[in-house]
Amino acid sequence: SKGAGRARMCFFSPDMRNRIIAATQMEQSLRSALSRQHLEVHLQPQFSLQSDASLEHQLPRLCGLEALLRWNDPLLGNVSPATFIPIAEESGLIVELGHWVLGQACAVLEDMAIRGHQLPIAVNVSQVQFRSAEFVPQVAALLKRHAFAPDMLRMEITESLAAEDEADMLEKVDQLAALGLTFSIDDFGIGYSNLARLRRMPLSELKIDRSFIKDLRLIDDDGLAAPAPGETPGQEVCHANEIVRAMLVMARALSLEVVAEGVETSEQFEVLRQLGCQRVQGYLLGRPRPMKDVLDEIEAGVLG
Ligand code: C2E
Ligand code: CA
Ligand code: CA
Ligand code: CA
């Protein structure tokens, strides 16, 4: 009928329609960026505070790298992964994209192994990649093609997981762990935490989400946090310290290493050191930078 026709035409609001068109165009641009090599992997250093116990102030030592995708499009400019990753996930392009990133990481790991550097690289892996039937065999093929110790390749996965995918995902994680890969839970604390599942997974690490790190404050002798500029002394900042402390206790119970993400200030760094957090990552110690620059610094021994 006429009414039904009109209803169908009105299904998408103009705003929604524009967003769908924008997403479709972005997907096409991303597809051509992948084939024309307009994508790049940057590496962000991770540092460990475990070092010579006799030192009063432990010096941060380079202990790993996180691979982060960068897209500099000739027309669109720099597009943030926060924008294009969700689009790549919805269109399924993430499977190809994610495989390309893993290939880049494997090439760097092989290159480092040849030069005698043993340093793990963490790659972000989307749940959509896990759903692909080819995922495990493709990763196995990459490991065959590149010579490096498989435990140097770490997969960062998030907690948010649809229940119907759980069994399949756990099985694939187990298969990849059997190949020697290690696993890290990304953005810990903001997703749907299921401690039973965490305990069952062959994890080696938790990454505490930046939103918890940003509120860390040094506590004075009188138990009050010094307020940041423009901030009145409140209770919330004290809670952040206690939440991170609790996460560290929980991680120890699960025998997991902990990485604090998004460490931007020396105050956050100092609180983490006092709480006994052993690994840190963030702009304070090093931003994500082009692979070649990071490798040159590792080779020159200037990165720590
Ligand atoms: P993520 O995995 O949580 O990565 C950390 C993000 O925080 C990165 O943003 C990094 O550049 C940024 N960051 C690091 N240190 C600091 C800091 O001290 N302060 C602040 N404010 N930010 C910091 P980026 O590179 O824009 O990536 C955003 C997200 O996109 C990532 O979050 C990850 O979820 C996703 N992503 C990036 N590359 C890939 C990829 O190759 N595959 C997949 N599936 N996702 C990716
Ligand atoms: Ca990550
Ligand atoms: Ca993260
Ligand atoms: Ca994130």
Side-chain angles (χ1 to χ4, degrees):
S1 74
K2 198 175 157 201
R6 189 173 301 144
R8 200 176 309 132
M9 278 167 63
C10 295
F11 188 72
F12 297 121
S13 68
D15 183 51
M16 216 171 148
R17 198 170 159 271
N18 286 340
R19 262 186 289 156
I20 292 166
I21 291 170
T24 309
Q25 284 171 348
M26 186 166 283
E27 188 216 321
Q28 281 162 3
S29 304
L30 188 55
R31 207 174 276 282
S32 83
L34 183 59
S35 63
R36 289 184 198 156
Q37 296 166 348
H38 289 156
L39 297 173
E40 206 185 337
V41 172
H42 281 201
L43 297 171
Q44 185 176 28
Q46 301 175 326
F47 294 89
S48 164
L49 301 175
Q50 308 167 283
S51 60
D52 189 345
S54 67
L55 290 174
E56 189 179 307
H57 288 282
Q58 299 168 314
L59 294 168
R61 187 174 49 82
L62 182 67
C63 69
L65 301 164
E66 179 176 1
L68 292 159
L69 199 47
R70 292 291 176 264
W71 176 18
N72 190 356
D73 190 82
L75 289 172
L76 302 170
N78 280 316
V79 187
S80 161
T83 305
F84 71 77
I85 293 290
I87 289 170
E89 286 179 331
E90 267 172 53
S91 64
L93 186 60
I94 192 72
V95 172
E96 217 178 308
L97 209 58
H99 183 69
W100 181 78
V101 176
L102 280 166
Q104 296 279 304
C106 289
V108 172
L109 283 167
E110 180 170 17
D111 193 48
M112 286 199 297
I114 290 166
R115 299 167 193 228
H117 302 298
Q118 282 258 338
L119 202 60
I121 295 187
V123 176
N124 295 284
V125 178
S126 162
Q127 317 237 339
V128 180
Q129 287 175 264
F130 269 93
R131 265 177 236 145
S132 153
E134 270 87 280
F135 184 57
V136 174
Q138 281 180 343
V139 174
L142 278 177
L143 292 180
K144 274 214 181 105
R145 207 173 318 140
H146 297 279
F148 62 87
D151 63 340
M152 292 295 110
L153 182 59
R154 174 162 304 161
M155 288 188 172
E156 292 194 1
I157 54 182
T158 53
E159 299 170 274
S160 48
L161 185 66
E164 68 265 28
D165 287 338
E166 182 172 342
D168 182 55
M169 166 112 176
L170 289 176
E171 193 186 325
K172 286 172 177 166
V173 166
D174 281 339
Q175 288 168 351
L176 292 167
L179 294 174
L181 267 62
T182 60
F183 287 87
S184 175
I185 291 289
D186 204 356
D187 305 340
F188 183 73
I190 61 164
Y192 168 72
S193 299
N194 179 330
L195 293 183
R197 182 168 67 221
L198 287 188
R199 211 163 58 119
R200 257 185 293 142
M201 288 174 81
L203 299 173
S204 58
E205 187 184 83
L206 288 184
K207 298 188 77 177
I208 300 180
D209 191 70
R210 179 159 59 91
S211 55
F212 297 99
I213 306 306
K214 117 183 147 352
D215 291 332
L216 294 176
R217 294 286 185 281
L218 279 170
I219 310 292
D220 295 344
D221 294 339
D222 52 10
L224 293 171
E231 191 184 76
T232 47
Q235 289 184 311
E236 240 172 79
V237 289
C238 306
H239 285 157
N241 291 19
E242 292 312 311
I243 290 169
V244 170
R245 190 197 303 278
M247 286 176 170
L248 290 164
V249 169
M250 197 206 67
R252 195 168 309 132
L254 293 166
S255 305
L256 300 175
E257 298 281 346
V258 175
V259 178
E261 294 195 294
V263 180
E264 291 182 351
T265 69
S266 45
E267 182 173 20
Q268 292 160 359
F269 180 82
E270 181 56 23
V271 175
L272 288 163
R273 201 186 60 76
Q274 287 179 7
L275 290 174
C277 179
Q278 286 168 337
R279 295 183 188 177
V280 288
Q281 180 179 355
Y283 295 165
L284 177 72
L285 295 153
R287 289 182 176 258
R289 284 182 302 118
M291 256 166 19
K292 193 190 169 298
D293 297 0
V294 175
L295 293 179
D296 285 350
E297 287 192 11
I298 290 171
E299 190 69 10
V302 294
L303 209 50

